[in-house]
Amino acid sequence: MAMNAPMQPNYPRGYPQAAQRSPAAPRRGAPVPGPGVPMPHQQVAHPQYMAAAAAAAAHQRGMPPVSDAHLRRSRKPTEKNMPDGIEEYVIGDGVQEYKKLQNIEKRLDSSMVRKRLDIQDSLGRSIKRYQTLRLWISNTTEGQEWQQGEQNGNGEGPGAGRYKVRIEGRILDDGDVDVTVPAEDSDSEPEEEDTAGGEEGEDSEKPKSKQRQQRPRQKLSHFFKSITIDFDRTNSVKEADLSPITWTKPQIPPTAVSLPPSADFDEISFSRAAQENVNFTLTLVRDEQPERLKLSQELQDIIDMEEATRSEIISALWDYAQVKGLQEDHEKRLVRCDAKLRNIFGRDQIFFPAIVDVIGNITAPLDPIKLPYTIRVDQEFHNNPTPTIYDIRVAMDDTLLQKMVTLTTNPQYTTSLRNISDLDDRLATIIQAITHSKARHSFYTSLSRDPANFVRRWISSQRRDLETILGEAVRGGGEDGSGPEFRRGGTSSAWNAPVAREAVRYMLARPEANTVYR
């Protein structure tokens, strides 16, 4: 066969083939093709198919190479259901018990997935409860003029007075009484902040309560982004260091299990030289997740809250629009602004998802907490010293929420899933072996009952499979086109069936069918 001869269409047996003119003999009166012009007998591919082939080739070139691990994973069996009719060949009730275990597993998996989704939904809602954070601020003195008879800890003479300030904080439990003295159950070393080089805290290890040891609690530094001590400079204080003291919480990655030691403490202490009373202001900047915002007065009139998170603001505005019937009928997310909403947004209509971008204009960060304190160095105060106490309302995660977080981040969960996956793989391999055994059993059983007909059907099935693999099948199923049903014409023939008409229409619509052979 010549190399330039066109490929002949693969007609099935019984189909008439149209007569074709030799490609070497052009029809009478036809123009002689020039360079670059295809011969009439040459089939020109449709541009759409050329573009599709080029795109497929580019996609294959861009695909990453398939690794051996991917091939092994794709070849692993996944079927875990017993083949039908296996009960007839198994002695005992093993198959029935296996199916019962499968039903139990399905119900258990469904319950576990539903519970896990409920837990994740609860974690997303960020349920908060509020408790009281109590602060004790106190100070001691040494080396003052009225302490001339006492030994100075620094080895300096009388008159070189110093003070030491301690700021301690602890969350009060619901069952605690009115605590006026800080409890000595802190399990952390005091954190010292002093730009002038203060001393270490005097107190060493403190006795710990067994109840406090068994129940971990959030410490003072957990609730604040920064802690600043600003000294009052209005009054002239002799020989006093008035430079501010600042602590800022370091950036903590979200995957961190616990806070670093520099950001995990219950107490701040510092020591400086002074012989007169000194005033300072303790400034605390809240650290809340999610962050609460201070609302404008117009927004407070609508949602009746002074402080709220972004999600609470959006939810409250959505409820307000629904209660007032301000949603458009054709688009529920489009809200008509009444007088109150118009004061906030300054427009007659607003697309509700756009409210997220507008919230920043009607809210502001919460004001920092400012607590005044006077460092007393006089003898009258220290004859009966009492600490200054402040109570701060702080938001805490619900205890149940903390348990749910622990449950979802349990490392044993991943290990259990891996073990279950290994067992599923072994189970699928066993089911595959059982399926193959049943197929062999059915094969030999059918062969023993009627060998001649079985072999005949088997050879016919293998022939159809081979024709399908080689692309020689007529309609994909390996039917023989020379049978009597294909020779018979008329209204009851196979050619009058809708399938045949559809096949002819499909063949005529192919680009190759429009090529004229002369």
Side-chain angles (χ1 to χ4, degrees), residues 13 53 137 183 255 279 362 424:
R13 292 186 297 273
I137 306 178
T255 57
N279 299 326
I362 56 179
D424 285 341

Side-chain angles (χ1 to χ4, degrees), residues 123 127 129 131 215-218 222 396-409:
L123 294 176
I127 302 174
R129 63 188 181 95
Q131 284 189 268
R215 183 176 57 186
R217 56 183 176 82
Q218 293 174 333
H222 173 83
M396 299 183 61
D397 293 332
D398 193 11
T399 54
L400 180 60
L401 192 65
Q402 296 176 357
K403 293 180 180 179
M404 290 191 292
V405 171
T406 305
L407 178 63
T408 54
T409 58

Side-chain angles (χ1 to χ4, degrees), residues 371-445:
L371 306 176
Y373 181 76
T374 300
I375 302 174
R376 301 286 297 273
V377 297
D378 54 287
Q379 182 178 5
E380 180 182 358
F381 173 79
H382 287 280
N383 289 335
N384 186 20
T386 55
T388 301
I389 299 176
Y390 291 100
D391 286 343
I392 303 174
R393 187 169 174 263
V394 294
M396 299 183 61
D397 293 332
D398 193 11
T399 54
L400 180 60
L401 192 65
Q402 296 176 357
K403 293 180 180 179
M404 290 191 292
V405 171
T406 305
L407 178 63
T408 54
T409 58
N410 188 0
Q412 295 181 355
Y413 178 74
T414 306
T415 306
S416 301
L417 288 181
R418 191 179 300 111
N419 295 335
I420 292 175
S421 179
D422 295 339
L423 292 176
D424 285 341
D425 294 341
R426 294 169 56 186
L427 180 60
T429 304
I430 296 173
I431 295 297
Q432 185 185 51
I434 293 175
T435 304
H436 291 172
S437 299
K438 180 181 179 298
R440 288 193 297 268
H441 184 275
S442 301
F443 179 87
Y444 291 117
T445 302

Side-chain angles (χ1 to χ4, degrees), residues 160-427:
R162 301 183 64 86
Y163 65 83
K164 182 177 181 180
V165 176
R166 297 177 62 183
I167 303 173
E168 303 173 68
R170 182 169 66 84
I171 291 292
L172 297 182
D173 295 333
D174 296 335
D176 287 352
V177 295
D178 187 11
V179 181
T180 56
V181 179
E184 297 183 351
D185 60 350
S186 176
D187 53 359
S188 63
E189 293 294 332
E191 181 75 15
E192 183 168 340
E193 298 283 346
D194 190 357
T195 56
E199 300 176 350
E200 290 291 336
E202 300 175 353
D203 48 348
S204 58
E205 295 185 359
K206 299 179 180 180
K208 303 177 182 179
S209 170
K210 295 182 179 180
Q211 181 182 2
R212 301 298 182 191
Q213 290 179 351
Q214 294 175 359
R215 183 176 57 186
R217 56 183 176 82
Q218 293 174 333
K219 298 184 179 181
L220 171 66
S221 57
H222 173 83
F223 301 98
F224 304 105
K225 294 180 182 178
S226 65
I227 301 175
T228 305
I229 300 174
D230 294 315
F231 292 90
D232 188 5
R233 299 174 179 270
T234 56
N235 298 327
S236 59
V237 181
K238 299 178 181 179
E239 299 179 1
D241 186 3
L242 302 180
S243 58
I245 300 173
T246 302
W247 172 84
T248 304
K249 181 181 292 185
Q251 294 292 334
I252 302 171
T255 57
V257 180
S258 59
L259 296 175
S262 60
D264 192 21
F265 56 87
D266 271 333
E267 175 187 328
I268 296 177
S269 61
F270 61 94
S271 177
R272 289 184 177 182
Q275 300 179 17
E276 298 181 13
N277 297 341
V278 181
N279 299 326
F280 73 81
T281 301
L282 178 65
T283 304
L284 307 172
V285 179
R286 297 180 180 90
D287 184 11
E288 299 179 351
Q289 296 296 333
E291 183 183 6
R292 284 188 301 148
L293 302 173
K294 184 173 63 174
L295 311 184
S296 63
Q297 186 60 45
E298 294 80 6
L299 188 56
Q300 293 181 22
D301 296 339
I302 295 177
I303 65 177
D304 195 21
M305 287 189 292
E306 297 181 358
E307 302 173 358
T309 62
R310 291 180 179 270
S311 59
E312 292 174 347
I313 296 172
I314 295 173
S315 178
L317 289 175
W318 180 255
D319 294 339
Y320 178 82
Q322 286 182 323
V323 171
K324 295 293 185 178
L326 302 177
Q327 296 171 298
E328 295 289 354
D329 296 334
H330 62 281
E331 176 57 70
K332 296 296 184 182
R333 294 178 297 175
L334 190 61
V335 177
R336 298 186 304 274
C337 295
D338 58 1
K340 292 184 177 180
L341 292 178
R342 199 176 296 110
N343 292 335
I344 296 176
F345 304 119
R347 63 188 75 174
D348 295 333
Q349 285 184 339
I350 186 170
F351 191 58
F352 197 83
I355 292 180
V356 180
D357 302 329
V358 186
I359 286 180
N361 301 329
I362 56 179
T363 59
L366 292 179
D367 296 331
I369 302 172
K370 295 184 178 294
L371 306 176
Y373 181 76
T374 300
I375 302 174
R376 301 286 297 273
V377 297
D378 54 287
Q379 182 178 5
E380 180 182 358
F381 173 79
H382 287 280
N383 289 335
N384 186 20
T386 55
T388 301
I389 299 176
Y390 291 100
D391 286 343
I392 303 174
R393 187 169 174 263
V394 294
M396 299 183 61
D397 293 332
D398 193 11
T399 54
L400 180 60
L401 192 65
Q402 296 176 357
K403 293 180 180 179
M404 290 191 292
V405 171
T406 305
L407 178 63
T408 54
T409 58
N410 188 0
Q412 295 181 355
Y413 178 74
T414 306
T415 306
S416 301
L417 288 181
R418 191 179 300 111
N419 295 335
I420 292 175
S421 179
D422 295 339
L423 292 176
D424 285 341
D425 294 341
R426 294 169 56 186
L427 180 60

Side-chain angles (χ1 to χ4, degrees), residues 117-135:
L117 291 176
D118 292 342
I119 291 175
Q120 293 177 353
D121 182 61
S122 300
L123 294 176
R125 287 199 298 265
S126 299
I127 302 174
K128 297 289 185 178
R129 63 188 181 95
Y130 292 92
Q131 284 189 268
T132 301
L133 173 66
R134 176 155 294 182
L135 290 180

